[in-house]
Amino acid sequence: MMGPRQEAQPALFYEFSLEDHVPQDHLLRSIDRFVDLSGIRAYLADFYSHTGRPSVDPELLIRMLLVGYCFGIRSERRLCEEVHLNLAYRWFCRLDLSDRVPDHSTFSKNRHGRFRDSELLRHLFEMTVARCIEEGLVSGQRMAVDASLIEADANKQNSTPKEEWDARQIDPAYAPRAVREYLDSLDEAAFGAASEVQPKFTSHSDPASQWTAARKGPAFFAYSDNYLIDTDHGVIVDVEATRSIRQAEVGATRTMLDRVRDKFHLYPERLIADTAYGTGPMLGWLVDREIAPHIPVFDKSRRSDGTWTRADFEWDAGNDQYICPEGHELKQFRRNYSDPKRGPTSTGRAKYRALKLTCQACPSKAKCCPNADARSITREEHENARQVARDISKTKQYEISMKLRKKVEMLFAHLKRILGLGRLRLRGPCGANDEFLLAATAQNLRKLAKIFPAPQKPRTA
């Protein structure tokens, strides 16, 4: 028969425990085992005043932010509502049922102040990396790097063409925060100094973002999220925010490799990346540091007319010359110069030429230089490093590396699809950096929770 109507009956006393109402297999139980924020208060002690009204516990704010980024809750206003309602979120944030959830404005106040001044989010991310190393998830032998475009909180309607934008007319005292950060980043290698080429449009609300059409579709304003990962378990060992151009992304790779070396003493034996990182200077930088570049060479020497390319010529390092398929020599100089200024040029390139008489009489001239009197080949400054990368590309280890490179792409897919970071909510270089650091921290914590889940307690009858 139909049971009685369910009605809430008020009680005088309640016995309630959050610990009993959070499932044993909940993700936050596994994550909580790897979140040690006991040193946060001491880390931020110098950034708080010794007088005045007591502030919100910074550990509480960090735990709430971790909940938001682990579960794709991008809005801080909505995050406060979810923590207020969700028992598991309250348990993770160390809030009892009667405890008040901080107001959403508290996050902005701390983020633009002491959190950025102390680089707390960078410190938090490095704490998770150190925990991954401690748990044996990072060997540091094989690393992969890549960048992904993240749409900025800007649109074309509120932008100016490059010929109308003049940063010198902006008064920083009256400019918005994102504009002041843009002015401060004009000399940084990851932003203003990355390239002399000015973007076609500049956003008024977030001028540091890059106008780009790299997705082969409608152009938009974006930042690049750069990941350096250890390929053993796909742990993110460093993250950097840059402009969405190749020069800035390649420069971020050097910054991240130097940073993990200084911070965690990680010296990778190989670096895995795509063709965008296969430029001569980048390959030379890696070879000089004894890092094997498992990277396709960025090479524009190939010809489309069917004639011989530079790869068809043999390099004779001992005699500083090229040998053509017909056995003829291409030399840079055919006599010694007493004046050193007449030697190799300072542009980083050297040109090797064959004799005109030799080429004119050669039966393979039509395959080599049909439109020139003699064949010439340009050798780049870092050609030796490029050759090292070409030799590596013929090995079995290179094939394995190309498969491992997909791990960093999978992390970006997880970042956008699961964590919901397809578009930035914060503006300016600092805002982009904050979001990327928190998202990478959440991904590493979820990785730890997946590999080392919390032990399940037997249910009581």
Side-chain angles (χ1 to χ4, degrees), residues 301-342:
S301 64
R302 297 181 180 180
R303 297 187 174 188
S304 59
D305 56 0
T307 58
W308 288 338
T309 65
R310 182 169 56 188
D312 297 317
F313 290 73
E314 180 183 355
W315 169 244
D316 182 4
N319 297 313
D320 189 25
Q321 63 182 10
Y322 278 97
I323 305 297
C324 77
E326 292 290 344
H328 303 301
E329 300 173 349
L330 285 77
K331 292 181 175 291
Q332 184 181 7
F333 304 109
R334 296 188 181 273
R335 64 186 179 88
N336 296 326
Y337 290 99
S338 59
D339 185 0
K341 294 182 180 180
R342 299 191 63 182

Side-chain angles (χ1 to χ4, degrees), residues 157-317:
Q157 284 70 28
N158 189 24
S159 64
T160 300
K162 61 180 180 180
E163 57 270 9
E164 300 179 12
W165 178 271
D166 189 355
R168 294 172 296 181
Q169 297 179 357
I170 300 175
D171 187 355
Y174 301 98
R177 180 181 293 106
V179 176
R180 295 198 303 270
E181 292 179 7
Y182 162 72
L183 296 175
D184 294 338
S185 66
L186 290 176
D187 295 329
E188 294 183 9
F191 291 96
S195 173
E196 296 180 355
V197 179
Q198 296 297 320
K200 186 176 181 180
F201 293 97
T202 300
S203 171
H204 294 165
S205 58
D206 192 356
S209 60
Q210 179 74 27
W211 177 256
T212 178
R215 291 180 180 171
K216 308 300 181 183
F220 58 97
F221 290 104
Y223 285 92
S224 282
D225 188 4
N226 298 269
Y227 274 2
L228 179 67
I229 74 165
D230 185 273
T231 59
D232 288 357
H233 292 87
V235 173
I236 305 168
V237 295
D238 206 353
V239 58
E240 185 77 5
T242 65
R243 287 178 63 187
S244 298
I245 57 175
R246 181 173 57 85
Q247 297 91 327
E249 295 168 0
V250 172
T253 304
R254 303 180 184 183
T255 301
M256 292 189 291
L257 285 172
D258 287 339
R259 193 153 51 201
V260 298
R261 179 198 60 192
D262 298 337
K263 184 67 178 180
F264 303 110
H265 305 289
L266 297 178
Y267 301 87
E269 66 178 22
R270 72 180 67 171
L271 181 70
I272 307 169
D274 57 23
T275 313
Y277 300 84
T279 59
M282 184 63 196
L283 295 175
W285 187 87
L286 292 172
V287 172
D288 290 342
R289 283 157 179 77
E290 299 181 352
I291 301 175
H294 286 236
I295 305 172
V297 178
F298 188 81
D299 192 357
K300 292 186 177 182
S301 64
R302 297 181 180 180
R303 297 187 174 188
S304 59
D305 56 0
T307 58
W308 288 338
T309 65
R310 182 169 56 188
D312 297 317
F313 290 73
E314 180 183 355
W315 169 244
D316 182 4

Side-chain angles (χ1 to χ4, degrees), residues 1 4 52 81 117 241 258 273 315 329 344 407 411-412 417 450:
M1 67 178 179
E81 296 174 355
D117 295 340
D258 287 339
W315 169 244
E329 300 173 349
K407 289 190 175 184
L411 283 170
F412 285 131
R417 294 178 180 271
K450 179 180 179 181

Side-chain angles (χ1 to χ4, degrees), residues 358-432:
T358 302
C359 289
Q360 293 295 333
C362 181
S364 300
K365 186 177 185 303
K367 297 180 181 180
C368 183
C369 52
N371 301 321
D373 294 334
R375 180 60 187 263
S376 63
I377 293 179
T378 301
R379 183 175 178 84
E380 304 292 339
E381 180 183 5
H382 300 281
E383 191 62 30
N384 291 335
R386 290 156 64 95
Q387 189 59 44
V388 170
R390 293 190 187 99
D391 294 339
I392 292 175
S393 65
K394 302 174 184 178
T395 63
K396 185 68 175 178
Q397 290 78 6
Y398 180 83
E399 297 179 9
I400 298 174
S401 296
M402 291 300 102
K403 296 178 181 179
L404 292 175
R405 191 175 65 84
K406 296 180 180 179
K407 289 190 175 184
V408 65
E409 297 174 354
M410 293 170 61
L411 283 170
F412 285 131
H414 180 271
L415 175 73
K416 297 177 181 179
R417 294 178 180 271
I418 306 301
L419 302 190
L421 192 62
R423 179 186 174 93
L424 292 173
R425 189 177 56 81
L426 305 180
R427 293 174 177 172
C430 293

